[in-house]
Amino acid sequence: MNARIESLPRAQYLADTHEVSNLSSELCDYNMFTGDAALCEAVRREGAQWAEAGLSEFGKLTGSADYLELGTLANKFQPEFDTHDRFGNRIDLVKFHPAYHQLMKTSIEHGLHASPWTTPGPGAHVARAARTYLHTQVEAGHGCPITMTFAALPSLRLQPELARIWEPKITARVYDPRNVPMEQKQGITIGMAMTEKQGGSDVRTNSTRAHPVGAVGPGEAYELVGHKYFVSAPMCDAFLVLAQAPGGLSCFLLPRWRPDGSKNPMQVLRLKKKMGNASNASSETELRGALAWMVGEEGRGVRTIIEMVSMTRFDCMIGSSAGMRMATSQALHHCAQRSAFGKVLDQQPLMQNVLADLALESEAAVTLTMRMARAMDHRADEHEELMVRLATAVGKYWICKRTPNHAYEAMECIGGSGVMEDSMMPRLFRESPVNAIWEGSGNVQCLDVLRALSKTPAVVDAFFAEVGLARGAHAALDRHVADLARDFRDLQDFEYRARDIVDRMALAMQASLLVRHAPGVVGDAFCRSRLEQLGHHNYGSLPRGVDVAAIIARATPQAGT
Ligand SMILES: Cc1cc2nc3c(=O)[nH]c(=O)nc-3n(C[C@H](O)[C@H](O)[C@H](O)COP(=O)(O)OP(=O)(O)OC[C@H]3O[C@@H](n4cnc5c(N)ncnc54)[C@H](O)[C@@H]3O)c2cc1C
């Protein structure tokens, strides 16, 4: 019997069924900066040419296999929360995977949280936006505390004596995650707590009370009692918080630890159970007489914190543009290697139409984002300041809202493997709606655009001057802008029509930028597909005659570069 078995041929055919063929490889070990033509051109055009060498180094890091793995790990091993230590002491401690800490460390050491404040000047916001765009492609969740730390400073500076103490540590390039008083740290992070159960968009309904400890008014100490329904990154060292002072809704700086070294009673109840943004801890908290100092004028809390919010909105544009870029890169990389029906996918006309369309959307997003970064760098210029006021809301609304469907469509390009948890696509997909919802949801952005139009009418002229720079470059754009100008004259039902108006404003801005600055094939395809086919656009509906191969070649990341 044994002899008969031994004489059988070896089972080599069984092993042959496991031969891997026609599957793509991991997109890694590429330069995320130099391999992104639209980004490179935008950085140069918008004034940060001086940062190119550093960005190239950074792009090499963010595109490396080991570094991309940090993004996977930070989301796989999600933050864990303890209210108390084992001896019963209240600690409110969130523990993160080392990968999360490494992402935070890199961000802070490269100034993603502060560089335009410490070294302002032409291109400062542009360079920082480019770095943030690259880093977010690795991992988006850790960007929440980085953004809030970055965004807090303009609000905090409204209370100079507080800023003098806090600013040096906020802007320091030192990441120190320890749960200890800020006096013991060289570098700190800042969060934000506005949203309450009964109202997120409408913060005027905030019920948290601020009771003066002694003297009243800006810079003075209060004790806050209430709850906050969403507090992301509760391990931050301090938070900008809205609460009702006797003189109305006001902004406060609330530290995690009191100056006497005792724990400030901002108690985390639990972490939110989120569908995405998994590496970032978001919490529900109670303020039980937590010490805080008033920032800005009493009763002008929204006015004060809006300085922070407008910065976080800009970062939502960066974050969603980055998500689109990574989704596009993944789809292009896969389709360049995968064949079906005897032909590589990116050589098949219908797939070329889809891929080129995804690439157009992604390029339009980063182009508008970087244009707004330039506006941030030149706020002393009246036109640029008006653009910041108007176009941050337009861009935040439009780019963030375009992202979920883009992520899904890129996932579909990859087919079944795109749905698998061991690819990056589910993470990109689950992250994709978040930027649209926080920092002012879609309708709120549209209403903010209307507010700007009515309170600062000069934004209308600034907008038409900006898009008018492309007058005569494309007939579809000229018609689109003329229609928009006509609709602006009819203010009836403006609130009801706000989404339609803001959609078309965003398209006008993106088209105007692309026809002026991108290769002709890109600008033309964008105008023809977005402006002439308005209302029935699904990805993959580019009209006849578009040079899809050129658009795909431009957008495809080059592995090994
Ligand atoms: C992952 C995550 C983390 C977060 N982290 C923080 C944080 O750290 N700090 C913080 O303060 N908040 C945080 N938030 C809260 C977030 O900012 C709010 O969820 C957001 O502002 C919307 O508020 P809301 O959930 O109360 O919805 P609502 O305000 O109830 O809005 C619901 C819907 O109604 C729409 N709407 C509101 N008003 C109008 C109107 N007048 N006309 C038409 N439509 C309207 C909105 O656009 C939205 O679509 C976080 C949220 C998420 C998802």
Side-chain angles (χ1 to χ4, degrees), residues 303 306-307 310 313 372 375-376 379 381-396 444-460 462-463 505 509:
R303 184 68 219 100
I306 204 75
E307 297 290 333
S310 79
R313 287 178 179 174
M372 292 315 299
M376 300 259 178
R379 293 185 73 161
D381 178 314
E382 191 189 347
H383 175 77
E384 298 301 304
E385 178 61 17
L386 291 168
M387 291 311 291
V388 171
R389 172 65 193 96
L390 182 74
T392 319
V394 174
K396 196 276 189 188
V444 171
Q445 297 305 316
C446 293
L447 296 175
D448 193 40
V449 172
L450 296 194
R451 197 171 304 116
L453 296 176
S454 66
K455 284 200 163 175
T456 321
V459 296
V460 179
F463 170 77
M505 289 172 77
M509 289 196 69

Side-chain angles (χ1 to χ4, degrees), residues 143-356:
C144 174
I146 296 297
T147 283
M148 292 193 292
T149 304
F150 162 69
L153 217 53
S155 291
L156 192 58
R157 282 178 174 173
L158 296 174
Q159 204 55 52
E161 72 275 25
L162 285 176
R164 255 194 306 280
I165 300 167
W166 288 80
E167 181 165 337
K169 294 191 179 188
I170 292 173
T171 56
R173 295 198 177 193
V174 177
Y175 175 56
D176 184 345
R178 288 176 304 147
N179 186 15
V180 297
M182 69 85 90
E183 289 77 12
Q184 298 175 31
K185 293 187 171 194
Q186 297 301 312
I188 57 176
T189 52
I190 305 290
M192 168 167 71
M194 299 191 292
T195 309
E196 296 186 359
K197 293 188 182 81
Q198 72 283 352
S201 309
D202 187 2
V203 291
R204 291 167 306 175
T205 65
N206 269 198
S207 62
T208 297
R209 297 272 147 203
H211 305 281
V213 173
V216 298
E220 299 299 340
Y222 288 69
E223 284 183 348
L224 272 48
V225 178
H227 65 89
K228 292 289 167 184
Y229 200 36
F230 284 86
V231 180
S232 286
M235 296 310 295
C236 286
D237 297 282
F239 302 83
L240 285 182
V241 181
L242 288 181
Q244 302 285 357
L249 191 67
S250 308
C251 180
F252 296 87
L253 179 71
L254 185 152
R256 291 200 78 208
W257 295 81
R258 288 170 175 261
D260 66 4
S262 65
K263 205 177 160 304
N264 209 10
M266 175 182 183
Q267 297 183 347
V268 177
L269 302 179
R270 61 171 179 161
L271 296 189
K272 294 283 199 188
K273 298 170 184 170
K274 295 180 289 183
M275 57 87 76
N277 197 247
S279 67
N280 176 34
S282 301
S283 69
E284 295 172 16
T285 66
E286 277 183 358
L287 307 174
R288 298 174 177 270
L291 175 80
W293 299 279
M294 188 180 281
V295 179
E297 286 177 49
E298 184 169 359
R300 304 270 291 161
V302 174
R303 184 68 219 100
T304 304
I305 211 163
I306 204 75
E307 297 290 333
M308 177 173 189
V309 172
S310 79
M311 286 292 148
T312 60
R313 287 178 179 174
F314 171 59
D315 268 23
C316 290
M317 290 173 66
I318 304 174
S320 289
S321 302
M324 277 198 230
R325 172 62 190 162
M326 182 48 97
T328 307
S329 299
Q330 294 286 338
L332 289 167
H333 180 72
H334 176 85
C335 292
Q337 297 174 71
R338 174 83 165 176
S339 294
F341 302 100
K343 217 158 139 192
V344 180
L345 283 173
D346 74 1
Q347 302 299 316
Q348 312 226 18
L350 185 51
M351 183 56 98
Q352 286 182 319
N353 196 326
V354 176
L355 292 171

Side-chain angles (χ1 to χ4, degrees), residues 359-423:
L360 282 178
E361 193 69 32
S362 170
E363 177 155 357
V366 72
T367 303
L368 178 55
T369 297
M370 298 306 275
R371 168 66 187 92
M372 292 315 299
R374 182 193 186 93
M376 300 259 178
D377 279 327
H378 298 277
R379 293 185 73 161
D381 178 314
E382 191 189 347
H383 175 77
E384 298 301 304
E385 178 61 17
L386 291 168
M387 291 311 291
V388 171
R389 172 65 193 96
L390 182 74
T392 319
V394 174
K396 196 276 189 188
Y397 164 73
W398 176 253
I399 292 173
C400 299
K401 201 161 273 303
R402 295 292 289 172
T403 307
N405 197 36
H406 186 279
Y408 143 69
E409 194 69 61
M411 181 186 271
E412 187 171 317
C413 289
I414 297 172
S417 296
V419 183
M420 297 305 120
E421 286 290 355
D422 51 6
S423 91

Side-chain angles (χ1 to χ4, degrees), residues 113-136:
H113 69 307
S115 57
W117 312 136
T118 51
T119 42
H125 278 283
V126 174
R128 183 252 169 199
R131 276 181 203 273
T132 304
Y133 178 78
L134 297 172
H135 212 241
T136 308

Side-chain angles (χ1 to χ4, degrees), residues 368 386-387 389-395 397-398 445-446 448-450 452-453 459-464 466-467 477 480-481 484-485 487-488 494 497-513 526 531 534:
L368 178 55
L386 291 168
M387 291 311 291
R389 172 65 193 96
L390 182 74
T392 319
V394 174
Y397 164 73
W398 176 253
Q445 297 305 316
C446 293
D448 193 40
V449 172
L450 296 194
L453 296 176
V459 296
V460 179
D461 289 342
F463 170 77
F464 283 107
E466 178 76 16
V467 297
L477 178 57
H480 180 84
V481 174
L484 203 48
D487 281 5
F488 266 72
F494 219 46
R497 295 185 290 127
R499 278 203 182 206
D500 176 54
I501 298 280
V502 180
D503 282 352
R504 289 153 62 205
M505 289 172 77
L507 283 169
M509 289 196 69
Q510 290 185 324
S512 167
L513 288 164
F526 189 87
L531 306 183
L534 207 63

